[in-house]
């Protein structure tokens, strides 16, 4: 990790001097900037969990004491569940175009951008990356599949960015219309927000002749890595340091071992140090091209949060909704995936039993407001199996 040592040392010194939240984080642990001389020294700083980040933001709005620059210099401010206001720095991190360049996006490409453009960063970040490569963006956003297909065929769209399940939906409809790989123009795709399965990859790259990649990132960190042919897992950009840690103790796990993915982002404007993503993974002991970390894979979550349609659904979001409705005794969200589409069903046990349409509608509204995620159905039951607030029953392949 020696190639990260100087960057880590400089980041910590800068953050300690300019970000009150980082200073508090370190002071509470009895750690000074002089104690952090190498990347491995970061273990002296406690992991910052998403729940803790939410609490810090709540107590010190609007940026929690992490922003080191004048807010007037921010080009955009996003919001993620919590709520947390995520500031976009004036200049993007190095390496942010690596995934786009790997797929081959460039001048002459017309690309369907099916990520949402409002509130969260995905749509605009993809838009900016594509335009920086010289491509022309078709800002379609999610849904309106018939219109997406019409635009792709009429304008000769060569690229797609979005969720792989949505491209599957488009191709299913395209196939029903009698189009083939020879007549449908899209040949480049960048995915994110959900797993990219081998079955999907075989269909896109084999049957339809596309070049594809899947980007890994979070709302707080942005895109940090991408898949590449011949590489297991993800190539990680040099604007972030990933460490694999014991979810309980925060101690480093040797390279190759599984644990929680803990990220330190080299973003001087909004530094996050030892941020616990909640994802489980492993990092290879070998660097790619002597520079880039290799995240070998994602192996689930260390906490109870589940990503649904690109958004995290947290147990505490459902608990918060439940607390507003005293008639509810217990609830549980069941996530299924019929026909490549995530479906969220909430099972509810009422204290007095029975069913209540008014309670169902109120719960849907509260849950959607807390998680910004559509709830498909509320089902009243007599009892709930298991102790988990969220049960993921999706089959990804």
């Amino acid at each position: 990790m020696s190639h990260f040592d100087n960057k880590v040392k400089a980041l910590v010194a800068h953050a300690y001097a300019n970000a009150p939240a980082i200073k508090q984080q370190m002071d509470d642990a009895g750690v000074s900037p002089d104690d952090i001389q190498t990347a491995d020294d970061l273990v002296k700083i406690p992991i910052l969990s998403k729940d803790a980040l939410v609490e810090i933001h709540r107590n010190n709005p609007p940026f929690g004491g992490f922003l080191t620059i004048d807010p007037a210099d921010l080009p955009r401010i996003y919001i993620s569940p919590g709520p947390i206001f995520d500031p976009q720095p004036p200049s993007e991190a190095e390496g942010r175009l690596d995934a786009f360049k790997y797929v081959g996006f460039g001048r002459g490409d017309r690309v369907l951008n099916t990520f949402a453009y409002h509130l969260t960063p995905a749509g605009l970040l993809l838009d900016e990356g594509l335009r920086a490569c010289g491509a022309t963006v078709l800002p379609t956003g999610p849904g309106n599949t018939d219109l997406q297909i019409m635009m792709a065929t009429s304008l000769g769209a060569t690229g797609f960015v979005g969720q792989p399940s949505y491209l599957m939906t488009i191709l299913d409809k395209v196939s029903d219309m009698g189009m083939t790989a020879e007549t449908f123009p899209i040949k480049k795709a960048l995915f994110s927000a959900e797993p990219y399965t081998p079955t999907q990859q075989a269909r896109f790259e084999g049957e339809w002749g596309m070049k594809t990649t899947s980007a890994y990132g979070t709302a707080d960190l942005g895109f940090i890595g991408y898949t590449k042919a011949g590489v297991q897992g993800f190539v990680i950009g040099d604007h972030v340091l990933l460490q694999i840690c014991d979810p309980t103790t925060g101690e480093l796990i040797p390279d190759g071992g599984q644990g929680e993915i803990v990220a330190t982002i080299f973003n001087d404007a909004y530094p996050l140090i030892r941020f616990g993503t909640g994802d489980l993974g492993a990092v290879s002991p070998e660097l790619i091209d002597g520079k880039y970390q290799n995240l070998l894979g994602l192996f689930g979550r260390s906490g109870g949060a589940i990503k649904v349609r690109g958004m995290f659904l947290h147990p505490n979001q459902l608990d918060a909704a439940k607390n507003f409705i005293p008639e509810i005794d217990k609830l549980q969200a069941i996530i299924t995936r019929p026909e490549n589409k995530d479906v969220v069903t909430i099972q509810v046990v009422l204290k007095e039993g029975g069913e209540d349409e008014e309670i169902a509608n109120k719960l849907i509204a509260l849950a959607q407001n807390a998680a910004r995620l559509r709830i498909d159905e509320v089902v009243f039951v007599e009892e709930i199996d298991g102790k988990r607030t969220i049960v993921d029953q999706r089959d990804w392949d």
Side-chain angles (χ1 to χ4, degrees), residues 21 25 46-59 64 66 84 275-276 316:
Q25 181 185 4
I47 292 175
L48 176 66
S49 70
K50 176 74 173 187
D51 287 344
L53 186 63
V54 169
E55 187 65 22
I56 292 170
H57 274 250
R58 182 180 296 121
N59 293 334
F66 290 93
I84 289 176
F275 176 71
N316 58 9

Side-chain angles (χ1 to χ4, degrees), residues 6 11 48 56 67 83 98 166 180 185 215 243 266 270 282 286 376 385:
N6 289 336
L11 175 73
L48 176 66
I56 292 170
L67 190 67
D98 289 349
Y166 188 48
T180 65
Q243 294 175 310
F266 298 109
Y270 185 71
E286 302 297 328
D376 297 286
D385 295 330

Side-chain angles (χ1 to χ4, degrees), residues 100 105 111-116 122-123 126 130 140-142 148 159-168 170 188-196 200 204 213-215 223 310:
F100 299 90
F105 288 127
V111 185
L112 297 177
N113 183 2
T114 68
F115 282 115
L126 269 296
L130 289 166
T140 55
Q148 304 255 12
F160 170 97
V161 295
Q163 296 174 321
S165 60
Y166 188 48
L167 185 54
M168 290 281 278
I170 289 175
K188 304 170 184 179
L190 188 158
F191 306 117
S192 193
E194 67 182 21
Y196 181 31
Q200 291 170 333
F204 299 148
T213 187
S214 178
F223 290 127

Side-chain angles (χ1 to χ4, degrees), residues 87-105:
Q88 178 185 340
S91 59
E92 293 294 343
E94 296 178 8
R96 71 185 180 96
L97 300 181
D98 289 349
F100 299 90
K101 293 178 179 178
Y102 168 71
V103 171
F105 288 127

Side-chain angles (χ1 to χ4, degrees), residues 340-361:
N340 287 318
K341 294 180 180 179
D342 290 345
V343 173
V344 181
T345 302
I346 298 183
Q347 295 185 337
V348 176
V349 177
L350 294 179
K351 292 177 181 177
E352 301 298 328
E355 300 185 9
D356 190 314
E357 183 178 353
E358 183 178 346
I359 289 178
N361 292 335

Side-chain angles (χ1 to χ4, degrees), residues 9-43:
K9 184 177 178 180
L11 175 73
V12 169
H14 168 78
Y16 188 87
N18 296 283
I22 299 294
K23 184 177 187 302
Q24 188 69 51
Q25 181 185 4
M26 294 176 61
D27 287 348
D28 288 347
V31 179
S32 74
D34 290 339
D35 295 323
I36 311 298
Q37 298 295 312
T38 69
D40 286 348
D41 287 337
L42 285 172
V43 73

